């Protein structure tokens, strides 16, 4: 008996953070910096900053398949082929064969089970949501109203942005509020031309992409060992300079330096242990992914940061007499309103007349065209809007396969920069829909005997109507700027999941009858459990979500510590 | 959705970065999954004579160039053989191409074997390849020519000798800026393709 008590004590912390990715890193840092003893539980293997970026300095010829993925490897990473279709970065992506899931309707679940999670893979596009994003549901009677407004997040955006380090250009646009910026990256000549033409002819602004790269590190960045971006654009292999923001390079080192953080790897959090009497969580039950050993850890407060599907799955798995369908699920909204951004659509073209223009360096970022539809006086047949990411670059030697010719002259030609090409790729907002959901399978399990996730979600009428504009408007802008061979493209089988911005499934809301979380990301019915990743989102905006997750996480952590101190948790 | 669809769509999204054969290659997932346990296949794909023949084809696509000086001809830039393209082709065909694409490729090689390609004069070889290229142009399906050209270019322009001879290789550029091109400017390479 004594032994057990001692073991329990050893495994008791002030706070447990589940997941070490983009949001888990923030939760760990904030809670620890505010004085809490924090345990981070990470289901994947340990990945060490710098030392484990094994391919970061590899030259092209050092890859046996020169970057292409062999068929056998592709078989194991089927969901992630779009993003991992490179030999040098494939090891960052989760093996889908070993971690299966069910698709009632097509869904690609792209994961990164290791320290840092998807913060090692992201494209680093970093945008604030705007005021309208938090009002649209209420105005349009869709989903539920957000329990917070843009103003609630402003101080937290300010707070996290300074630590993250975001390169970008202030534009003063209501549709795309400015962040605290480091110097912007340059545009290429045809991009500047596009910007000018589209401003003049269509009155739409184009700005340089806002990306989480250190273009001019500040003391707060240097303090955790981060340095200037070298413009190699090998980010998908890990950045040994710590130049892009990841939890591995930034928040976890900051958390560790408090000496109050313990990270346990290979720890798959299975469920939350509920103290039925107190209506509070006591801790979590964990399966070691290698040894299958089951252990419990205890804490006063839990932060779920396992990624949208991961965190909601844990809630679903936490069944009790009080919560027969999953912890906090009084509203039956758990797993519902699964959202993503819809993409794989846009326009591309070529341009003449910039033969003398070139660029030096590989820019890890692109242009950004903010939403202009259903904004101001513009009114469309569908709701909400979309933006574009993209850019112009010169074709390299790989253009040769499609061209005729061979021999010495052809070879020489391939060593010189090819024609300019441009691509604008749209990202559209997906509406919340309670029938877009995931559940846990009743009969299919994984190798840890955990139920498999069953996806059942698709784009609706609104998304389909919006897609027409994404194509046409993209082409229109390229044509306005005099681009040739303009092709508007749409991938008919584009579907949820490929956007890798999974959101919703444990939404925030004012009313416990229709939402899972309150305005501080606390489970309405179990106040010491916080969910601060994409699960919490009540609607999806059309801009990339991670900055908003980070701001929500820092805000919730601050609140949790206040509440702990006030003995309310 | 099955994996064939997934991969087609994925490659489609890459906006033409992958050619049809590469796409098809990925479709081989399904077959491989059924027939093999995990692990990369080993062994040679091409026979020795095919290897030699393809070396000749690749060298015609990307020839070694020599400066004209009669006294001491100097290698101006290396060619496909210097870059080890035939060995690379072998590995790629084995690991990254579908059975269907492999068959198309092998049919093309056999055809050249039948025509005694290696014994023809350089002019005859060039003329024959031009004909093959012109025919390939008419095809909407992946062809022997497209696979060959794609592998030759990839094998050469990402090899150490190929990169160093062809491009201004800048593994750590340190900045990004718009510049004007200089006369005869070689393409910059940053080693970020893989
Ligand atoms: C290729 C790519 C490009 C992207 N580009 C952008 C972009 O440009 N801008 C943007 O804003 N977003 C982008 N994203 C999305 C961004 O990466 C995610 O929004 C973000 O990482 C989500 O943070 P998270 O903390 O919720 O999840 P993650 O970062 O994925 O972290 C979750 C962590 O929890 C762990 N975990 C999961 N389940 C459990 C469990 N049961 N027990 C213990 N641990 C668990 C995982 O192993 C992982 O480490 C991109 C994503 C990808 C893959
Ligand atoms: S481009 Fe910048 S952020 Fe990306 S790997 Fe290179 S140095 Fe790191």
């Amino acid at each position: 008996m004594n032994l057990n008590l001692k073991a329990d004590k050893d495994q008791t912390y002030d706070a447990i953070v589940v997941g070490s990715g983009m949001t888990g890193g923030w939760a760990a840092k904030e809670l620890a910096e505010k004085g809490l003893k924090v345990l981070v539980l990470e289901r994947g293997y340990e990945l060490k900053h710098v030392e484990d970026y094994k391919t970061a300095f590899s030259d092209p010829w050092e890859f046996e398949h020169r970057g292409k993925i062999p068929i056998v490897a592709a078989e194991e990473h089927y969901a992630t082929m779009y993003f991992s279709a490179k030999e040098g970065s494939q090891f960052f992506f989760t093996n889908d064969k070993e971690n299966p899931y069910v698709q009632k309707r097509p869904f690609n679940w792209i994961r990164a089970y290791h320290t840092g999670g998807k913060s090692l893979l992201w494209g680093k596009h970093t945008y604030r949501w705007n005021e309208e994003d938090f009002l649209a549901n209420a105005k349009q009677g869709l989903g539920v109203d957000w329990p917070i407004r843009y103003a609630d997040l402003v101080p937290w955006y300010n707070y996290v942005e300074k630590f993250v380090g975001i390169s970008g250009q202030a534009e003063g646009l209501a549709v795309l509020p400015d962040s605290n910026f480091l110097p912007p990256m340059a545009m290429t000549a045809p991009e500047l031309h596009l910007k000018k033409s589209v401003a003049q002819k269509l009155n739409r602004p184009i700005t340089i992409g806002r990306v989480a790269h250190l273009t001019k590190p500040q003391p707060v960045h240097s303090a955790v060992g981060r340095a200037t971006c070298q413009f190699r654009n090998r980010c998908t292999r890990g950045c040994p300079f710590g130049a892009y923001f990841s939890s591995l390079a930034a928040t976890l080192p900051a958390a560790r330096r408090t000496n109050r953080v313990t990270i346990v790897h290979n720890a798959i959090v299975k469920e939350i242990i509920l103290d039925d009497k107190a209506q509070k969580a006591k801790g979590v039950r964990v399966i070691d992914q290698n040894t299958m050993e089951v252990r419990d850890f205890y804490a006063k407060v839990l932060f779920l940061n396992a990624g949208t599907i991961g965190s909601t799955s844990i809630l679903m798995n936490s069944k009790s007499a009080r919560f027969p369908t999953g912890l906090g699920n009084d509203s039956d909204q758990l797993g519902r309103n699964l959202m993503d951004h819809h993409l794989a659509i846009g326009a591309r073209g070529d341009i003449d007349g910039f033969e003398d223009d070139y660029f030096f360096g590989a820019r890890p970022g692109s242009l950004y065209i903010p939403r202009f539809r259903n904004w101001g006086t513009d009114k469309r047949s569908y709701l909400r809007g979309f933006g574009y990411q993209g850019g112009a670059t010169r074709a390299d030697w790989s253009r040769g396969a499609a061209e005729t010719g061979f021999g010495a002259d052809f070879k020489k030609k391939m060593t010189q920069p090819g024609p300019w090409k441009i691509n604008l790729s749209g990202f559209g907002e997906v509406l919340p829909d309670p029938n877009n959901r995931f559940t846990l399978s009743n009969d299919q399990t994984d190798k840890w005997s955990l139920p498999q996730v069953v996806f059942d979600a698709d784009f609706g009428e609104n998304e389909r109507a919006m897609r027409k504009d994404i194509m046409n408007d993209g082409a229109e802008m390229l044509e306005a700027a005099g681009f040739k061979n303009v092709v508007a493209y749409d991938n008919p089988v584009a579907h949820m999941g490929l956007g890798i911005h999974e959101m919703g499934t444990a939404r925030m809301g004012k009313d416990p009858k229709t939402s899972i979380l309150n305005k501080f990301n606390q489970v309405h019915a179990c106040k010491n459990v916080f969910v601060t990743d994409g699960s919490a989102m009540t609607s999806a905006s059309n801009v990339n979500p991670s900055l908003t997750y980070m701001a929500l996480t820092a805000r919730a952590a601050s609140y949790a510590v206040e509440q702990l101190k006030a003995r309310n948790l | 959705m099955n994996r064939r669809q997934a991969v087609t769509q994925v490659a489609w999204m890459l906006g033409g970065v992958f050619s049809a054969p590469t796409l098809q290659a990925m479709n081989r997932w399904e077959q491989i999954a059924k027939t093999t346990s995990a692990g990369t296949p080993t062994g040679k794909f091409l026979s020795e004579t095919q290897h030699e023949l393809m070396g000749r084809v690749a060298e015609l696509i990307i020839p070694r160039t020599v400066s004209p000086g009669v006294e001491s001809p100097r290698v101006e830039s290396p060619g496909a053989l210097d870059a080890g393209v035939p060995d690379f082709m072998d590995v790629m065909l084995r690991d990254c191409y579908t059975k269907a694409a492999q068959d198309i490729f092998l049919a093309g090689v056999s055809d050249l074997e039948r025509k005694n390609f290696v014994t023809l004069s350089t002019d005859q070889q060039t003329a024959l390849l031009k004909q093959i290229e012109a025919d390939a142009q008419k095809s909407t399906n992946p062809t022997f020519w497209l696979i060959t050209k794609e592998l030759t270019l990839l094998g050469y322009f990402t090899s150490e000798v190929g990169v160093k001879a062809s491009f201004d290789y800048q593994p750590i550029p340190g900045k990004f800026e718009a510049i004007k091109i200089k006369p005869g400017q070689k393409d910059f390479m940053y080693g970020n393709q893989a």
Side-chain angles (χ1 to χ4, degrees):
Chain A
M1 212 49 214
N2 278 341
L3 267 177
N4 276 339
L5 283 176
K6 184 176 178 299
D8 282 5
K9 195 160 169 277
D10 284 351
Q11 293 176 6
T12 300
Y13 297 80
D14 295 326
I16 290 174
V17 174
V18 181
S20 65
M22 193 85 77
T23 61
W26 271 100
K29 168 184 177 302
E30 295 304 303
L31 296 169
E33 285 179 348
K34 290 186 160 59
L36 267 50
K37 203 177 138 216
V38 180
L39 172 69
V40 178
L41 295 169
E42 168 52 54
R43 73 172 290 156
Y45 62 92
E46 179 168 16
L47 188 69
K48 293 203 182 80
H49 182 48
V50 186
E51 157 181 349
D52 286 333
Y53 304 149
K54 290 172 248 160
T55 56
F57 289 109
S58 305
D59 290 309
W61 53 89
E62 292 178 64
F63 295 98
E64 192 184 8
H65 304 92
R66 305 283 163 83
K68 303 263 192 267
I69 299 279
I71 288 167
V72 176
E75 161 66 20
E76 307 210 320
H77 289 77
Y78 52 85
T80 59
M81 276 306 289
Y82 172 30
F83 293 101
S84 69
K86 292 282 174 78
E87 218 170 0
S89 53
Q90 189 209 322
F91 66 98
F92 278 146
F93 291 81
T94 294
N95 183 316
D96 300 300
K97 218 172 161 184
E98 279 176 16
N99 297 275
Y101 54 89
V102 184
Q103 301 175 58
K104 264 198 180 164
R105 289 185 274 173
F107 193 97
N108 281 40
W109 189 17
I110 293 162
R111 293 157 293 172
Y113 289 164
H114 47 63
T115 336
K118 284 180 294 193
S119 74
L120 270 309
L121 310 174
W122 70 316
K124 288 91 65 186
H125 276 267
T126 310
Y127 304 97
R128 286 189 182 197
W129 288 23
N130 63 38
E131 279 198 52
E132 203 54 35
D133 285 326
F134 294 94
L135 291 167
N137 275 3
K139 284 187 181 170
Q140 295 161 352
L142 266 161
V144 293
D145 186 13
W146 277 88
I148 54 168
R149 297 289 177 241
Y150 176 66
D152 293 305
L153 279 192
V154 167
W156 297 102
Y157 276 136
N158 279 325
Y159 177 74
V160 298
E161 282 164 1
K162 287 177 191 146
F163 184 80
V164 168
I166 302 166
S167 146
Q169 175 71 51
E171 304 278 3
L173 303 168
V175 73
L176 194 73
D178 293 326
S179 293
N180 296 275
F181 291 126
L182 301 176
M185 294 183 186
M187 289 190 194
T188 60
E191 290 171 348
L192 284 168
H193 168 74
L194 178 75
K195 176 182 160 84
K196 212 169 108 197
S197 312
V198 169
Q200 278 168 1
K201 296 190 180 145
L202 298 162
N203 195 27
R204 289 175 199 157
I206 296 184
T207 189
I208 185 69
R210 300 171 175 180
V211 283
H213 291 258
L214 300 181
T215 46
K216 192 172 179 219
Q218 303 299 305
V220 60
H221 308 126
S222 316
V224 287
R226 300 179 61 200
T228 314
C229 181
Q230 303 297 318
F231 294 94
R232 328 147 63 229
N233 200 14
R234 295 193 196 182
C235 317
T236 54
R237 304 193 212 156
C239 182
F241 307 95
Y244 74 78
F245 176 85
S246 69
S247 58
L248 214 50
T251 42
L252 292 177
R256 281 201 181 98
R257 94 190 146 179
T258 64
N259 289 323
R260 284 188 283 273
V261 174
T262 308
I263 303 190
V264 175
H265 286 90
N266 303 309
I268 304 177
V269 173
K270 176 184 180 225
E271 63 189 321
I272 292 168
I273 308 165
L274 190 71
D275 177 341
D276 258 326
K277 257 202 333 254
Q279 290 300 300
K280 276 201 294 194
K282 277 202 298 200
V284 293
R285 185 150 299 149
V286 166
I287 306 171
D288 185 295
Q289 76 154 340
N290 299 321
T291 66
M292 306 283 175
E293 187 196 349
V294 176
R295 288 164 78 185
D296 294 348
F297 294 95
Y298 306 98
K300 295 180 201 122
V301 54
L302 305 182
F303 266 70
L304 295 191
N305 299 95
T308 299
I309 312 301
S311 293
T312 298
S313 297
I314 293 169
L315 292 175
M316 286 175 169
N317 248 330
S318 308
K319 290 181 184 155
S320 59
R322 166 69 184 85
F323 296 114
T325 62
L327 194 139
N329 195 23
D330 295 339
S331 61
D332 186 35
Q333 290 301 314
L334 206 56
R336 293 187 184 271
N337 312 294
L338 176 58
M339 298 170 285
D340 189 13
H341 287 138
H342 62 92
L343 78 179
I345 185 157
R348 52 176 167 253
D350 308 331
I351 196 159
D352 291 335
F354 292 90
E355 283 76 21
D356 288 352
D357 287 296
Y358 199 26
F359 53 86
F360 179 77
R363 185 181 64 194
S366 67
L367 298 184
Y368 192 75
I369 306 181
R371 168 178 169 184
F372 48 85
R373 288 299 177 207
N374 289 321
W375 193 262
T377 53
D378 186 77
K379 287 279 170 294
R380 313 301 293 171
S381 64
Y382 53 86
L383 300 171
R384 320 264 166 118
F386 55 87
Y388 297 88
Q389 291 170 19
T393 186
R394 296 192 76 146
D396 66 8
W397 58 267
S398 61
R399 68 188 186 274
E403 283 179 17
T404 41
F406 56 92
D409 291 344
F410 171 80
K411 172 183 159 190
K412 178 131 194 265
K413 197 171 143 202
M414 291 305 127
T415 66
Q416 284 162 0
W420 283 98
K421 307 246 168 222
I422 193 160
N423 179 37
L424 299 179
S425 174
F427 283 76
E429 178 162 357
V430 170
L431 297 177
D433 173 351
N435 296 319
N436 278 340
R437 66 186 303 190
F438 83 87
T439 51
L440 296 182
S441 173
N442 294 322
D443 45 10
Q444 275 161 294
T445 53
D446 63 16
K447 71 175 180 194
W448 301 278
S449 302
L450 292 171
Q452 284 187 30
V453 165
V454 181
F455 289 102
D456 188 7
D458 195 6
F459 302 140
E461 275 316 307
N462 201 69
E463 287 77 34
R464 279 189 279 274
M466 186 187 287
R467 290 182 84 80
K468 298 202 176 90
D469 269 8
I470 301 181
M471 268 174 83
N472 294 337
D473 293 349
E476 181 192 24
M477 288 187 278
L478 295 184
E479 273 157 9
F483 280 78
K484 299 182 315 175
N485 309 327
V486 173
V487 179
Y489 59 85
D490 180 9
N491 180 353
V493 286
H495 59 246
M496 300 264 277
L498 277 175
I500 334 178
H501 296 159
E502 358 22 303
M503 280 176 264
T505 70
R507 69 183 173 195
M508 293 168 88
K510 293 170 183 158
D511 185 351
K513 288 199 204 74
T514 56
S515 61
I516 307 290
L517 306 173
N518 72 10
K519 64 176 175 178
F520 288 107
N521 298 71
Q522 271 172 305
V523 174
H524 283 299
C526 188
K527 291 277 193 286
N528 66 339
V529 177
F530 290 76
V531 186
T532 69
D533 56 25
S535 319
M537 307 311 273
T538 310
S539 64
S541 176
N542 68 290
V543 299
N544 306 55
S546 300
L547 179 67
T548 302
Y549 304 168
M550 295 191 242
L552 284 171
T553 305
R555 178 174 175 269
S558 166
Y559 178 78
V561 174
E562 269 171 33
Q563 293 297 301
L564 267 180
K565 285 191 181 142
R567 299 185 179 279
N568 289 336
L569 287 182
Chain B
M1 181 190 55
N2 65 29
R3 294 189 187 148
R4 184 183 302 275
Q5 282 171 318
V7 105
T8 312
Q9 124 193 4
V10 151
W12 187 95
M13 288 169 69
L14 289 167
V17 174
F18 286 171
S19 72
T22 313
L23 280 190
Q24 279 214 338
M26 291 173 174
N27 289 347
R28 198 172 133 218
W29 295 353
E30 282 158 294
Q31 299 158 19
I32 291 260
K34 283 181 207 126
T35 55
T36 65
S37 55
T40 315
T42 51
K44 294 267 177 248
F45 180 79
L46 297 168
S47 71
E48 243 169 81
T49 50
Q50 290 172 332
H51 190 272
E52 191 199 334
L53 188 153
M54 287 314 297
R56 183 67 197 132
V57 174
E59 186 67 15
L60 283 166
I61 296 173
I62 302 289
R64 179 197 279 185
T65 52
V66 181
S67 67
V70 194
E71 306 258 306
S72 56
R74 194 175 53 82
V75 175
E76 221 171 45
S77 74
L81 289 174
D82 297 311
V85 167
D87 285 344
F88 174 69
M89 269 188 177
D90 197 89
V91 169
M92 292 298 283
L93 283 160
R94 186 192 68 197
D95 294 352
C96 300
Y97 282 76
T98 59
K99 175 80 172 58
Q102 287 175 340
D103 289 346
I104 290 168
F105 181 85
L106 288 174
V109 185
S110 305
D111 192 43
L112 289 179
E113 280 179 309
R114 262 196 309 281
K115 290 176 176 144
N116 291 320
F117 187 77
V118 286
T119 63
L120 303 177
S121 73
T122 303
D123 284 350
Q124 286 170 320
Q125 288 175 337
T126 305
L128 186 50
L129 291 188
K130 281 208 168 124
Q131 186 56 48
I132 290 174
E133 177 170 65
D135 291 344
Q137 231 71 86
K138 291 176 216 139
S139 172
T140 47
N141 292 320
T143 56
F144 163 73
W145 179 250
L146 188 63
I147 298 171
T148 300
K149 202 165 170 191
E150 184 180 66
L151 286 178
T152 304
L153 298 188
L154 181 65
Y156 179 77
F157 285 118
T158 59
S159 70
E160 184 163 13
V161 292
V163 167
K164 290 188 172 158
S166 313
F167 308 120
D168 190 345
Y169 187 50
Q170 298 279 353
I172 307 184
K175 61 181 174 185
F176 179 81
E177 58 185 21
I179 57 169
K180 289 286 176 190
I181 230 158
K182 293 192 214 83
Q185 169 97 50
K186 283 180 179 173
D187 213 346
F188 292 115
M189 276 297 140
Y190 307 104
N192 54 351
Q193 295 85 358

